[in-house]
Amino acid sequence: MAAPVEAAEGPVSAPELARRLAGVREGLMRACAAAGRDPASVRLVAVSKIQPAAAVAAVLRLGQLDFGENYAQELRDKSALLQAEGAAPRWHFIGPLQRNKVPLVVGRAALIHSVDSLALLEALAARVARVREKEPAQAALVQECLIEVSLAGESQKAGCEPHELPALLDAFANLGGTVRCLGLMCMPPLSDDAEASRPHFRRLRELLGELGQKPRPHVELRELSMGMSHDYPVAIAEGATLVRVGTAIFGARPSRAASQ
Ligand SMILES: *Cc1c(COP(=O)(O)O)cnc(C)c1O
């Protein structure tokens, strides 16, 4: 997938980040109130892809713990930079993941949102087994994951087809607890109209309910990762438990080339 290239703005100032984050938190509370949901049931993932580590550190200081990254090397580099400063965000990997990048992500990301094939899942499980063996401190490592589902048909490359879900969940059950599935993720086609996302969000929630009918080991279907800057209130109305918000917090992303 091509990296998004947007207006080459400088990083947003710390007071501006605080103002923006407060605005998103308020939007989240409002959406929960409108839907009759407990705000504690929705976690905000601040999507920091292509943003400098300093911006993550500034938002972390505002009490935001969960951050989402799309690129494996960027996750590795940024987490190392922040760790050196004693900062420990909870990282979410939300981008397409190539099998050869799996070692950069396993153990670093608390939750991988983008598992979409058996081959990827098996690579993740194999990596977890290897890390457990090599690093005594990680002997109990379990990689928690969500399955990304493609609900838009042909137009969407990332994500598995809904009919592939039962087999993927069976695979989670059969990988000995190295990987655990906590739910589903989707990314509807971008649209100016947030309401255009609603049927996708609703379908994802229905799928979670349907699949949850069959209990499986290492599968605990409780998370729905859906909703971005432009449509997170709609996602919350449809049951999102994780919303992935980037631009509304950090401002427009600098061009990816400039950040590397
Ligand atoms: C970039 C990205 C987001 C955040 O998008 P914004 O429109 O900036 O909020 C959310 N989810 C995924 C998978 C992304 O790649």
Side-chain angles (χ1 to χ4, degrees):
M1 190 188 282
V5 176
E6 293 183 23
E9 262 177 34
V12 174
S13 70
E16 177 69 4
L17 282 173
R19 198 188 60 76
R20 283 174 166 270
L21 180 64
V24 171
R25 282 175 173 160
E26 205 180 295
L28 206 140
M29 300 289 274
R30 220 178 305 122
C32 284
R37 295 187 56 193
D38 177 358
S41 68
V42 182
R43 214 169 349 142
L44 174 63
V45 178
V47 176
S48 49
K49 63 181 175 206
I50 324 181
Q51 301 291 349
V56 175
V59 171
L60 190 67
R61 280 193 292 273
L62 298 166
Q64 171 63 32
L65 181 60
D66 291 276
F67 291 85
E69 289 285 337
N70 281 58
Y71 307 100
Q73 288 97 327
E74 195 180 333
L75 169 64
R76 175 196 58 196
D77 297 346
K78 227 178 263 181
S79 64
L81 268 171
L82 287 160
Q83 204 166 25
E85 292 179 21
R90 186 157 57 210
W91 296 107
H92 296 246
F93 192 82
I94 64 173
L97 181 54
Q98 293 166 315
R99 271 178 286 163
N100 62 346
K101 304 287 171 58
V102 157
L104 300 180
V105 176
V106 166
R108 278 200 181 87
L111 185 64
I112 299 175
H113 293 224
S114 47
V115 173
D116 63 356
S117 74
L118 190 56
L120 174 58
L121 183 58
E122 285 174 344
L124 289 166
R127 179 63 190 174
V128 171
R130 194 175 155 80
V131 172
R132 283 181 177 182
E133 205 179 281
K134 298 256 165 188
E135 300 172 32
Q138 298 261 55
L141 179 66
V142 176
Q143 181 63 62
E144 298 195 319
C145 304
L146 306 179
I147 301 178
E148 180 173 0
V149 189
S150 164
L151 297 171
E154 293 287 294
S155 64
Q156 209 171 22
K157 276 171 287 169
C160 73
E161 299 287 325
H163 70 82
E164 298 174 283
L165 284 165
L168 268 172
L169 292 173
D170 288 342
F172 271 97
N174 292 327
L175 285 165
T178 48
V179 283
R180 187 181 294 153
C181 184
L182 298 186
L184 304 177
M185 181 270 232
C186 78
M187 195 154 104
L190 275 182
S191 161
D192 289 335
D193 178 13
E195 283 298 326
S197 300
R198 190 182 295 274
H200 299 268
F201 296 154
R202 187 166 294 169
R203 183 70 194 121
L204 199 71
R205 174 171 42 116
E206 289 168 356
L207 279 170
L208 193 83
E210 290 162 19
L211 293 160
Q213 305 278 314
K214 179 178 173 186
R216 293 174 173 88
H218 316 300
V219 174
E220 207 180 303
L221 298 176
R222 53 181 157 89
E223 305 285 357
L224 284 170
S225 169
M226 55 192 200
M228 308 179 13
S229 290
H230 70 292
D231 59 8
Y232 73 86
V234 175
I236 288 172
E238 294 299 332
T241 62
L242 292 157
V243 292
R244 311 178 308 268
V245 178
T247 317
I249 296 171
F250 291 100
R253 284 179 276 278
S255 84
R256 190 171 179 222
S259 76
Q260 306 229 315

